[in-house]
Amino acid sequence: ITVMSGGVIGGGREVEGSPALALLHGRVPSPLPVATVSRDEDLGVRLSGLDATGGRSCVALCDPWCDVPAVLAHLDQTYGGAVAGGLSAPPAQVPSLALGRTVLAPGSAVVLGLGGDLDLHTVVAQGCAPVGEPRTITACRANCIDTLDGEPAISAVQGAFDKASAREQALMGQALLCGINPRPVTFDGGDAGPLGAREWLARPLLGQTPEGGLIIGQAVQPGTPFTLLVRDRATAQQDLDLQLQRYRLERGLAADGAEPLAALLFACNGRGKGLFGVPNHDSECVAAALSPPRAGATDAVGGADDGAEGEEGAAGLPIGGFFCNGEIGPVGVVASDPHARDPARGPALDTALHGFTSAVALICARGQGAG
């Protein structure tokens, strides 16, 4: 599977904005099924090459012109396992995915199925901080929010700006986003960290209507929780640390306690050096936080200026990935078989398309404990 992006991750390095190639390779117990995705107007999403075996986890790689929500809904309903992945980031509407020697047309997706001896754990860390009090959408049309708590949406945004601190106002002037929360998330263990008891799906603000409505990057429904978000380096760092710690704790408490064999890292184009001011931030955090894998997988990255393998990635957890135009995964952490989860935590996983996040897909040996 080949993906075009604005940067690649591998060997402990993140190469952004220059020609590079990242590879992740290893031995697997049996061949992994790979499917291409198409959409039929009558039959909906169709996967060619992947049978409908329940309990399968999937890695989904889509291009920006694919109907990503429909693909994710199909994977959740058909397989029920964890789903993670990302969107390619081509410079224009050109082919950006390939399977073998076949270049796929814009509007395509590729799905890699994991099952049998392999499972997928996921960690999704946010990159934004809420500003002001959460509101509720009270009137809307598709992706236009007319009122928040009965107040014109633009008036609510202006009120939040007026009440914000000088630092928050500066951040709002640089990159103001919004967050929606289709389903509140209950955390185990008390404090939910810097984002509070909810986790928000970041969406862009696209404009306003003459009537004072707010146009955002996703269709919404009345009753949906809403907040304003700003990109924030400190929050992004804290939430990545928090979610990796949660993963280690939940993995340790899980029945199998499986160690990850390798990781796929899908980082937003808005992260990297532009957000953190230093190279290799997310990959170094993931490698440092997680235990070394078992033997059998190595990674490498070669850039325009240096073709050597990174020392940190080679010595620790093998990590490969790319910078995305959108990241895919469940909210928060999934560190066990979704079908074995406590029903109190929800009947199923809801895979979401994120923005400004770092989504980590950890490939684990199913039923193989850490001892």
Side-chain angles (χ1 to χ4, degrees):
I1 302 172
T2 306
V3 183
M4 180 187 297
S5 73
V8 299
I9 300 168
R13 295 178 55 209
E14 300 173 6
V15 179
E16 304 175 61
S18 62
L21 175 69
L23 302 174
L24 180 67
H25 61 92
R27 297 186 182 92
V28 294
S30 58
L32 300 180
V34 181
T36 55
V37 178
S38 61
R39 183 167 178 81
D40 186 286
E41 292 185 1
D42 297 321
L43 300 177
V45 174
R46 303 180 64 184
L47 272 69
S48 303
L50 190 63
D51 60 39
T53 301
R56 187 187 298 279
S57 297
C58 299
V59 175
L61 304 172
C62 310
D63 72 30
W65 298 277
C66 172
D67 188 349
V68 180
V71 171
L72 301 185
H74 178 82
L75 295 178
D76 284 345
Q77 294 166 8
T78 304
Y79 302 106
V83 179
L87 274 61
S88 60
Q93 192 170 353
V94 297
S96 55
L97 295 173
L99 181 58
R101 296 185 177 182
T102 302
V103 177
L104 305 179
S108 300
V110 178
V111 176
L112 175 66
L114 299 177
D117 295 329
L118 295 177
D119 200 4
L120 195 70
H121 296 173
T122 60
V123 178
V124 175
Q126 304 283 351
C128 299
V131 176
E133 294 297 321
R135 309 292 288 265
T136 300
I137 298 173
T138 46
C140 58
R141 296 161 290 139
N143 66 328
C144 176
I145 301 172
D146 295 312
T147 62
L148 294 167
D149 293 331
E151 179 183 3
I154 291 298
S155 298
V157 172
Q158 183 62 53
F161 180 85
D162 293 341
K163 295 177 182 178
S165 67
R167 178 180 179 276
E168 289 173 333
Q169 288 181 347
L171 290 172
M172 294 172 78
Q174 295 171 8
L176 181 61
L177 308 163
C178 71
I180 59 172
N181 181 243
R183 188 177 72 177
V185 176
T186 300
F187 291 84
D188 295 330
D191 182 18
L195 296 183
R198 299 179 190 271
E199 298 228 4
W200 303 97
L201 303 180
R203 296 295 183 259
L205 297 176
L206 304 179
Q208 66 182 79
T209 67
E211 299 77 23
L214 191 64
I215 303 172
I216 71 170
Q218 178 169 320
V220 291
Q221 297 180 349
T224 300
F226 173 96
T227 193
L228 294 173
L229 299 174
V230 292
R231 289 181 57 201
D232 180 68
R233 177 187 303 179
T235 298
Q237 175 67 70
Q238 291 168 6
D239 198 56
L240 181 58
D241 291 342
L242 171 71
Q243 301 298 355
L244 290 171
Q245 291 169 10
R246 285 187 57 212
Y247 172 73
R248 292 185 62 175
L249 175 62
E250 293 195 19
R251 189 190 73 202
L253 296 176
D256 56 15
E259 292 280 0
L261 304 173
L264 299 171
L265 176 55
F266 306 99
C268 177
N269 277 331
R271 294 174 72 97
K273 290 186 290 186
L275 179 63
F276 297 106
V278 295
N280 312 324
H281 178 274
D282 285 359
S283 56
E284 288 183 355
C285 287
V286 172
L290 302 182
S291 300
R294 303 180 188 279
T298 59
D299 62 347
V301 60
D305 58 343
D306 185 359
E309 180 174 284
E311 295 180 0
E312 183 166 348
L317 180 69
I319 300 173
F322 61 94
F323 285 89
C324 307
N325 204 24
E327 307 78 59
I328 293 169
V331 171
V333 169
V334 176
S336 61
D337 183 350
H339 295 88
R341 303 171 83 217
D342 183 349
R345 299 186 58 190
L349 295 177
D350 291 325
T351 305
L353 176 62
H354 301 268
F356 304 99
T357 64
S358 188
V360 188
L362 296 148
I363 301 172
C364 300
R366 180 172 289 174
Q368 184 173 355

